[in-house]
Amino acid sequence: MPYVNIKITEEGPATAEQKARLIEGVTRLLQDVLGKNPQTTVVVIDEVPTDNWGIGGESITQRRLRSAPPRST
Amino acid sequence: MPYVNIKITEEGPATAEQKARLIEGVTRLLQDVLGKNPQTTVVVIDEVPTDNWGIGGESITQRRLRSAPPRST
Amino acid sequence: MPYVNIKITEEGPATAEQKARLIEGVTRLLQDVLGKNPQTTVVVIDEVPTDNWGIGGESITQRRLRSAPPRST
Amino acid sequence: MPYVNIKITEEGPATAEQKARLIEGVTRLLQDVLGKNPQTTVVVIDEVPTDNWGIGGESITQRRLRSAPPRST
Amino acid sequence: MPYVNIKITEEGPATAEQKARLIEGVTRLLQDVLGKNPQTTVVVIDEVPTDNWGIGGESITQRRLRSAPPRST
Amino acid sequence: MPYVNIKITEEGPATAEQKARLIEGVTRLLQDVLGKNPQTTVVVIDEVPTDNWGIGGESITQRRLRSAPPRST
């Protein structure tokens, strides 16, 4: 019965199909590595605005403005 | 001074009155069971889109499509 | 299928019986207020050292040292 | 490589410039106090509706209605 | 620069090698599905005592006592 | 009434005095930038074993073994 929280920036954005693949993939990973029951594995995905995500002391919004062309990170 | 985070799917959705009852109820529970001071108990409720919540290796959106009629889970 | 995370200081500490009452109580609360299925409600309790919990700009350890006798908060 | 999550109510609301200052400030704090590398410090800010934040057993929405004039807390 | 938090019960327990496989696997998944840069993907694993994890209104400790032999879930 | 969660590796480890400085500093930052009331600002620090923290697809334990001398990150 693992619980997994995945936080990503809302850039893109991720499609429903991509999010379904994340849910399926991480559930299978926990079954393969630790034998966890997939039926009780919970996955929650949070999509965060780029103003609200910081790395290296600046927001992703600021970082994107400095770099051209934009890159997926 | 407990901190409680409640994550639910945004189906329904929950009304302001229901969320107030969750806040009041969990605060009282911590006072009754552990003697915690309700004045400093913090509760944060997150409402998550059904595409972003997975159980059993699939999203709630996918699960709802397979089952008719929709059920509260 | 709600997910609830309860963070408390590890003072006391909470007994297994008290933690079981928290799990049972918050699961029932989500059923009563929102009709959530208790079979898929997940609750995780984190017990945090008092050095690692801050309120009002100081740790609980510091706060306890200033106040006599100690009080449950 | 610390990870910091800051949750605030979405009142105001916080501007992109204020959020950038939070990211910069907490990243520098971790460098100053613990010598952490700012390049790998991650900060995520969550802005929570006042209906979804509780303190003292009631939501911030309820608390704001009882107090006049509104105060920043 | 995704952030992933994996919570599991501390049963077993998971070995360092198993935790390394979780970290590698979820990082690769985020690269494969969303093109995320693995160099800035952060994964944090929390191992939770069975008294502190609830499902179906009871702790894993209680659930394990009711079922014989113990199963991985 | 912000809530801040700081996750760091348990390397070092951080002293009680350093953790008190983190609590004081982040509480003051939220007051300076957003005018938040320090009396109701909650800070929780989690110290995570290096086997349980991943970056770049490997655990900190693995990363430390590859690099000599060890560096604070």
Side-chain angles (χ1 to χ4, degrees):
Chain A
M1 54 204 58
Y3 170 80
V4 181
N5 180 226
I6 299 174
K7 290 185 195 294
I8 52 177
T9 52
E10 65 182 14
E11 301 169 288
T15 65
E17 188 270 342
Q18 288 172 317
K19 290 186 272 195
R21 285 173 62 198
L22 289 182
I23 290 166
E24 184 194 355
V26 76
T27 301
R28 194 183 325 121
L29 179 70
L30 282 154
Q31 183 176 26
D32 290 349
V33 175
L34 293 174
K36 296 295 183 182
N37 181 353
Q39 292 312 312
T40 53
T41 294
V42 174
V43 183
V44 173
I45 300 169
D46 293 322
E47 295 170 281
V48 178
T50 56
D51 279 351
N52 292 24
W53 192 296
I55 179 106
E58 65 183 354
S59 74
I60 301 296
T61 305
Q62 294 172 303
R63 179 165 285 220
R64 294 285 181 265
L65 288 173
R66 285 198 295 101
S67 66
R71 295 179 310 143
S72 181
T73 51
Chain B
M1 56 203 57
Y3 170 80
V4 181
N5 180 225
I6 299 174
K7 290 185 196 295
I8 52 177
T9 51
E10 65 182 13
E11 301 168 289
T15 64
E17 188 271 342
Q18 288 172 317
K19 291 187 271 195
R21 285 174 61 197
L22 289 181
I23 290 167
E24 183 193 357
V26 77
T27 302
R28 193 183 325 122
L29 180 69
L30 282 154
Q31 184 177 26
D32 290 349
V33 175
L34 293 175
K36 296 294 184 183
N37 181 353
Q39 291 311 312
T40 53
T41 295
V42 174
V43 183
V44 173
I45 300 169
D46 293 323
E47 295 171 280
V48 178
T50 55
D51 279 352
N52 292 25
W53 193 296
I55 179 107
E58 66 183 352
S59 74
I60 300 295
T61 305
Q62 294 171 303
R63 179 165 284 221
R64 293 285 180 266
L65 287 173
R66 286 197 295 100
S67 65
R71 296 178 310 144
S72 181
T73 51
Chain C
M1 56 203 59
Y3 169 80
V4 182
N5 179 225
I6 299 174
K7 290 185 196 294
I8 52 176
T9 52
E10 65 182 13
E11 300 169 289
T15 65
E17 188 271 342
Q18 287 173 318
K19 290 187 272 195
R21 285 174 60 198
L22 289 181
I23 290 166
E24 183 193 357
V26 77
T27 302
R28 193 182 325 123
L29 179 69
L30 281 153
Q31 185 177 25
D32 290 349
V33 175
L34 292 174
K36 296 294 184 184
N37 181 353
Q39 291 312 312
T40 54
T41 294
V42 174
V43 183
V44 173
I45 300 169
D46 293 323
E47 295 171 279
V48 178
T50 55
D51 278 352
N52 292 25
W53 192 296
I55 180 106
E58 66 183 352
S59 73
I60 300 296
T61 305
Q62 295 171 302
R63 179 165 285 220
R64 292 286 180 265
L65 287 173
R66 286 198 296 98
S67 66
R71 295 178 310 145
S72 181
T73 51
Chain D
M1 55 203 56
Y3 170 79
V4 181
N5 180 225
I6 300 174
K7 289 186 196 293
I8 52 176
T9 52
E10 65 182 13
E11 300 169 288
T15 65
E17 188 271 342
Q18 288 173 318
K19 290 187 271 195
R21 285 174 63 199
L22 289 182
I23 290 167
E24 183 194 357
V26 76
T27 302
R28 194 183 326 122
L29 179 69
L30 282 154
Q31 185 176 26
D32 290 349
V33 175
L34 293 175
K36 297 294 183 182
N37 181 353
Q39 291 311 313
T40 53
T41 294
V42 175
V43 183
V44 173
I45 300 169
D46 293 323
E47 295 171 280
V48 178
T50 56
D51 278 352
N52 292 24
W53 192 296
I55 179 107
E58 64 184 352
S59 73
I60 300 296
T61 305
Q62 294 172 302
R63 178 165 286 220
R64 293 286 181 264
L65 288 174
R66 285 198 295 101
S67 66
R71 295 178 312 144
S72 181
T73 50
Chain E
M1 54 203 59
Y3 169 80
V4 182
N5 180 224
I6 300 174
K7 290 185 196 293
I8 52 177
T9 52
E10 64 182 15
E11 300 169 288
T15 65
E17 188 271 342
Q18 288 172 318
K19 290 187 272 195
R21 285 174 62 198
L22 289 181
I23 290 167
E24 184 193 357
V26 76
T27 302
R28 193 180 328 119
L29 180 69
L30 282 154
Q31 184 176 27
D32 290 349
V33 175
L34 293 174
K36 295 295 182 183
N37 181 352
Q39 292 311 311
T40 54
T41 294
V42 174
V43 183
V44 173
I45 300 169
D46 293 322
E47 296 170 281
V48 178
T50 55
D51 278 352
N52 292 25
W53 192 296
I55 180 105
E58 65 183 352
S59 73
I60 300 297
T61 305
Q62 294 171 304
R63 178 165 285 219
R64 292 287 181 262
L65 288 173
R66 285 198 295 101
S67 66
R71 294 179 311 143
S72 181
T73 50
Chain F
M1 55 204 56
Y3 169 80
V4 181
N5 180 226
I6 299 173
K7 290 186 196 294
I8 52 177
T9 52
E10 64 182 14
E11 300 170 289
T15 65
E17 188 271 342
Q18 287 173 318
K19 290 187 271 195
R21 285 174 61 198
L22 289 181
I23 290 167
E24 184 193 356
V26 77
T27 301
R28 194 182 326 121
L29 180 69
L30 282 153
Q31 184 176 26
D32 290 349
V33 174
L34 292 175
K36 296 295 184 183
N37 181 353
Q39 292 311 312
T40 53
T41 294
V42 174
V43 183
V44 173
I45 300 169
D46 293 323
E47 295 171 279
V48 178
T50 56
D51 279 351
N52 291 26
W53 193 295
I55 179 106
E58 65 183 351
S59 73
I60 300 296
T61 305
Q62 294 171 302
R63 179 164 284 218
R64 293 286 181 264
L65 288 173
R66 286 197 296 99
S67 66
R71 294 178 312 143
S72 180
T73 51

